[in-house]
Amino acid sequence: MALKPEITFDDFIKIDLRVATIEQADVHPNADKLLKLQIDLGPEGKRQICAGVRGYYGGDLPSLVGRQIIVVANLAPRTIRGEESNGMLLAASALDGEAVVDVVLLHPGKPVPAGSTVG
């Protein structure tokens, strides 16, 4: 897969990456590929994000609760299939050619307080 267009350092430092703790995970009622995650960002509060990882994590939603993930915390809110998403989780996609064969949620190497900065 080709790299995306180059960005400047000034563009990159605008991205606010934070550690979030998943408090609840549900299937999105209007989309087959999405999950609705209720996350805790510590001092930044709680919010909902929608993520296209249902095919990889939708079979065991309780195992997501309590997991820490990395999110883009300052992404503008967006309504996705009728549900508001307030951020985006980071995940690695393992490829076989152009096909995605696995998706792995990015997380800190050890537990840290929700809301911790990444960078």
Side-chain angles (χ1 to χ4, degrees), residues 15-96:
I15 301 170
D16 189 359
L17 300 176
R18 301 286 179 118
V19 175
T21 302
I22 300 173
E23 293 192 327
Q24 183 177 334
D26 299 294
V27 296
H28 190 295
N30 303 317
D32 293 338
K33 295 182 180 183
L34 296 175
L35 292 180
K36 289 190 325 178
L37 303 175
Q38 307 305 318
I39 61 170
D40 177 10
L41 278 170
E44 302 305 317
K46 299 173 190 288
R47 59 174 77 173
Q48 174 175 281
I49 61 172
C50 297
V53 297
R54 184 171 172 180
Y56 303 94
Y57 294 94
D60 191 12
L61 295 178
S63 73
L64 291 174
V65 176
R67 289 182 66 171
Q68 290 195 305
I69 57 174
I70 309 300
V71 299
V72 179
N74 64 334
L75 189 64
R78 181 176 178 185
T79 301
I80 303 174
R81 297 278 188 108
E83 294 286 341
E84 188 168 300
S85 184
N86 293 284
M88 178 182 288
L89 65 78
L90 297 185
S93 298
L95 301 175
D96 182 5

